[in-house]
Amino acid sequence: MSDVTILAPSPTLTVTVEDHPQGSEIHVHAGGQGVWQARMLRRLQVPVTMCCVLTGEVGRALQHLLEDEDITVQALTRDGRGSAYVHDRRGGERIVIDEERGDPIGRHDLDDLYSAMLSSSEDSQVVVLSGPAGEETIPADFYRRLAIDLRAAGKTVVADLSGERLRAVVEGGVDVLKVSHEELKADGLVTVTTDDEIIAAMQRLRADGAGAVIVTRASDPLLFTDGDRVIAVSPPPFEENETRGAGDSLTAGVIAGLVRGEPLRDAITLGAAAGALNVTRHGLGTGDADLIGSLRTKVTVREVPRRDAEGREQEGRVSPDGLAALADPEEDS
């Protein structure tokens, strides 16, 4: 039994060449959004099942790599080209040697993947909908239907998506939606990434079907709302080594908090700590659980003042006790 089930339609086999005193060092891992989320959840001692389609030789290698990380894998296997990349980081920068997004998932395999998600999530508290390796891998409506059925089954549904899949899952209804400010702009939901425009977009997403919205903003404080109030969450700053995977680590940290029974406004601080630590590391979705817990105490939270149509700050209470007061559900009633 897993506390969390993750939809990771097309995991990626990652091959990265790094510098070593004796020459080149080649690292082979499972990767992709859902994998990085699952890896961080396992670091935080949360049991995870990952539903995916594993394709060809790449898929057979991925199966072993995922199981070696103590991730329960519910996989459909097929012939064809799987998702994989080869990157060269010997010079410090990531240089793409080759990337393959893999073959789209066919109709019959999609039906089986849908059934696998419903079956695997029966005993899970939280279900995570993550994106595929390529835009053509899986249709957006798959996410809309799955969100509807999972929530009808009483599951907490978390989505970390963009583009058509974001719109689909919001239409279906989602408890927690995480998106970056760059994705909001690319999707046309904001024209400039000011606080006011992002907050307006967050409220529109909530009106359209998202229960709570988290917007990450690179090194700037992330924004979170599950109602009229918006809070800004600032993790401790670190020198960046690798920014990829930080958002997925954040999502995993939030989910770990929810599984432990924390209110969402508390769980966001665990996510912020996990994401902050991940930027210091080469390994994506990695980090020490004790260190993440320590960093959590250094995460700061403040309420973002609301503004009227003329841009003037509205009068409102800013909690002197930070997150503890903001997290009190009695104050929202």
Side-chain angles (χ1 to χ4, degrees):
M1 170 179 159
S2 294
D3 293 327
V4 178
T5 295
I6 298 179
L7 171 66
S10 51
T12 299
L13 182 68
T14 73
V15 181
T16 306
V17 187
E18 301 274 3
D19 234 351
H20 188 275
Q22 277 76 49
S24 298
E25 186 173 20
I26 300 175
H27 299 269
V28 181
H29 296 289
Q33 185 183 45
V35 174
W36 297 327
Q37 292 164 349
R39 181 175 293 142
M40 178 56 75
L41 281 163
R42 290 303 299 126
R43 296 297 192 277
L44 296 170
Q45 305 301 310
V46 177
V48 179
T49 293
M50 200 175 78
C51 288
C52 56
V53 176
L54 299 178
T55 306
E57 293 181 3
V58 163
R60 289 192 288 275
L62 283 167
Q63 177 100 34
H64 294 291
L65 291 169
L66 290 165
E67 290 175 347
D68 285 347
E69 295 194 53
D70 199 25
I71 297 169
T72 300
V73 180
Q74 183 70 39
L76 306 175
T77 59
R78 60 174 183 163
D79 295 328
R81 298 173 308 137
S83 174
Y85 70 63
V86 180
H87 290 176
D88 187 343
R89 285 198 52 170
R90 285 174 292 185
E93 298 294 323
R94 186 178 291 273
I95 298 173
V96 176
I97 304 301
D98 202 0
E99 292 185 339
E100 173 55 57
R101 298 301 186 186
D103 295 329
I105 302 174
R107 178 170 63 85
H108 296 298
D109 286 333
L110 283 174
D111 287 344
D112 289 342
L113 181 61
Y114 199 96
S115 296
M117 280 296 297
L118 295 179
S119 175
S120 297
S121 63
E122 282 187 348
D123 296 321
S124 296
Q125 299 179 47
V126 180
V127 180
V128 188
L129 305 182
S130 68
E135 289 301 313
E136 304 303 320
T137 303
I138 185 169
D141 194 60
F142 185 95
Y143 288 85
R144 181 191 65 82
R145 294 186 296 112
L146 195 54
I148 291 172
D149 289 342
L150 289 169
R151 294 186 80 211
K155 307 303 176 184
T156 297
V157 178
V158 177
D160 190 345
L161 300 165
S162 61
E164 291 184 4
R165 280 173 283 276
L166 179 149
R167 290 187 285 273
V169 81
V170 169
E171 181 182 346
V174 61
D175 295 290
V176 183
L177 175 68
K178 180 262 176 184
V179 64
S180 73
H181 71 296
E182 294 100 334
E183 290 165 337
L184 287 178
K185 189 172 183 181
D187 292 345
L189 296 172
V190 299
T191 54
V192 291
T193 54
T194 61
D195 284 9
D196 289 343
E197 277 224 30
I198 291 173
I199 290 169
M202 294 168 76
Q203 299 295 7
R204 288 196 300 272
L205 288 167
R206 291 196 70 254
D208 290 342
V213 181
I214 301 167
V215 177
T216 57
R217 302 187 297 168
S219 58
D220 290 333
L222 68 87
L223 298 176
F224 164 82
T225 186
D226 58 358
D228 292 334
R229 294 175 182 165
V230 178
I231 61 173
V233 182
S234 303
F238 290 109
E239 187 70 20
E240 293 179 353
N241 179 61
E242 173 63 85
T243 58
R244 295 190 322 147
D248 300 314
S249 293
L250 182 146
T251 301
V254 171
I255 294 164
L258 293 177
V259 167
R260 296 170 185 174
E262 297 180 10
L264 182 54
R265 292 184 183 184
D266 286 340
I268 195 76
T269 63
L270 181 60
L277 179 60
N278 200 235
V279 303
T280 70
R281 304 172 61 85
H282 281 87
L284 306 184
T286 64
D288 178 76
D290 290 338
L291 180 53
I292 290 170
S294 176
L295 292 175
R296 186 182 194 182
T297 65
K298 298 177 175 61
V299 174
T300 61
V301 178
R302 65 176 178 86
E303 186 172 349
V304 179
R306 287 177 290 177
R307 298 181 183 277
D308 62 19
E310 285 74 38
R312 294 174 300 199
E313 187 174 311
Q314 293 180 323
E315 291 185 7
R317 182 187 61 79
V318 178
S319 169
D321 297 321
L323 184 62
L326 290 173
D328 186 351
E330 294 298 321
E331 297 184 22
D332 285 331
S333 57

